[in-house]
Amino acid sequence: MPDSTVTGSTLPGGAAASPPTASDRWFRTWPDSSVLDRPRLMARSLIDLADLDDQIVFYERLLGVPADLRMPIPDFGGLELAAVGNLLLIASERPFTPVQRRTAYSLIVPSLAGQLALLERTGTSVLEPVETILPGSRARVRYPDGLLAELVEHRPRPGERPAPRPGTAVPEPVATGVRLFPRRAVPAERFADAVRFYETALEVEAGTEAGAGSRAEVLPAGPDGRPGPVLVGNLLLVAHDGPAEPVAFALLAPSAEKVAALAGTGRPPGRTVGGRTVMPLASGVSAEVWEGFPDPAAEAGRRA
């Protein structure tokens, strides 16, 4: 996950000083990831550090949840991280490295040693071995399907306690009906193998019960007739027959219009993939919108 340093300012006389608010920006709702029952897989968005505050607010309002971590990390060369729902915002003042750009996912894991032992029998290779970092420890791996993932084990700093985000745009969860998931398009002939691998890597049981949490959730088939995508934990696997569309992640929502209203874009654009709207979001990333999911606000209005 740290793929980090907030550079210091220069005082009169040339002395460098760290930004006085760097420690104030640091918070983690769950500083010890050993409390997790399985890995937390997150989509990644690489952004300019100057945009981080605005993007935190944007995704808090879109998803209706407050950010649950923000970390300026002084040992990784200019990064600051924030998590909102299933999205990890990775901000930097410097250009991102090729390996940072190629890394598809970040996973917060209960135990890094345990996760690596689990992956060892799947054909996963370790690209960057375990190292100690400010949040805890990390490693970078290549999955059998060729994607890179960064695995991070969080452990509290001395005296650190769980802390909510200060001054959040969404102090308490607000049901918007929009959920964000990392999205992986897989050739149709390898789809079943991909489901099995990610069930193992994410420690999710096979199954078809919608909303079962620890099971793989099968979504309705698309209008193009392909098999219905599978939500494995919080990863959406989509079968495709041709070149994969460059879509950063998926949004499960009541409608594309609801997403556009929350995102402040007015109305959804007309571009579609497989019959679904592809919508530009903050910093130029694109999300595929899966429509027809419950709208909590509308249901609350009907009950009233």
Side-chain angles (χ1 to χ4, degrees):
M1 175 153 66
D3 271 304
S4 96
T5 316
V6 178
T7 56
S9 59
T10 302
L11 301 177
S18 298
T21 58
S23 61
D24 295 336
R25 293 198 304 275
W26 177 288
F27 72 91
R28 290 187 287 182
T29 305
W30 299 286
D32 189 342
S33 62
S34 67
V35 303
L36 299 176
D37 58 1
R38 60 182 181 271
R40 177 187 178 187
L41 182 142
M42 308 183 75
R44 293 160 55 99
S45 181
L46 308 184
I47 64 174
D48 189 275
L49 183 60
D51 297 331
L52 181 57
D53 287 331
D54 288 343
Q55 292 222 16
I56 291 173
V57 170
F58 173 85
Y59 285 106
E60 285 181 328
R61 290 176 174 163
L62 177 66
L63 304 177
V65 296
D68 59 66
L69 70 81
R70 183 167 180 171
M71 298 185 300
I73 307 173
D75 57 354
F76 265 82
L79 300 190
E80 186 163 341
L81 313 178
V84 184
N86 293 327
L87 176 64
L88 182 68
L89 297 167
I90 304 174
S92 177
E93 293 179 328
R94 307 177 187 178
F96 289 98
T97 66
V99 73
Q100 287 171 334
R101 293 189 177 280
R102 292 199 310 271
T103 301
Y105 315 126
S106 289
L107 289 84
I108 301 176
V109 299
S111 164
L112 186 53
Q115 181 71 6
L116 291 172
L118 176 71
L119 293 172
E120 187 175 7
R121 65 176 184 268
T122 68
T124 296
S125 57
V126 177
L127 298 183
E128 297 174 7
V130 175
E131 63 177 322
T132 299
I133 56 173
L134 189 55
S137 57
R138 68 174 287 280
R140 198 183 312 266
V141 300
R142 176 182 284 113
Y143 286 152
D145 60 7
L147 290 190
L148 305 189
E150 188 174 39
L151 314 178
V152 182
E153 174 187 278
H154 282 233
R155 293 297 181 262
R157 298 187 296 177
E160 184 179 7
R161 297 289 183 269
R165 157 152 148 70
T168 176
V170 184
E172 298 294 336
V174 176
T176 65
V178 178
R179 295 183 291 163
L180 182 152
F181 294 96
R183 175 189 181 276
R184 169 70 168 134
V186 181
E189 67 273 14
R190 298 205 297 269
F191 190 72
D193 290 339
V195 171
R196 284 191 291 270
F197 167 74
Y198 283 105
E199 286 173 344
T200 298
L202 302 179
E203 301 177 44
V204 177
E205 297 177 8
T208 59
E209 294 184 31
S214 63
R215 291 182 169 273
E217 180 180 344
V218 179
L219 304 182
D224 52 14
R226 295 193 190 103
V230 176
L231 191 60
V232 182
N234 56 346
L235 173 65
L236 184 68
L237 291 174
V238 181
H240 73 87
D241 297 318
E245 178 74 16
V247 175
F249 36 75
L251 296 174
L252 276 55
S255 66
E257 288 76 15
K258 179 67 177 284
V259 174
L262 290 167
T265 59
R267 61 181 182 179
R271 190 166 75 92
T272 61
V273 174
R276 294 185 176 83
T277 299
V278 174
M279 185 174 298
L281 298 177
S283 290
V285 301
S286 295
E288 181 182 63
V289 181
W290 291 69
E291 302 182 73
F293 290 83
D295 186 337
E299 292 181 359
R302 285 193 293 269
R303 288 195 297 270

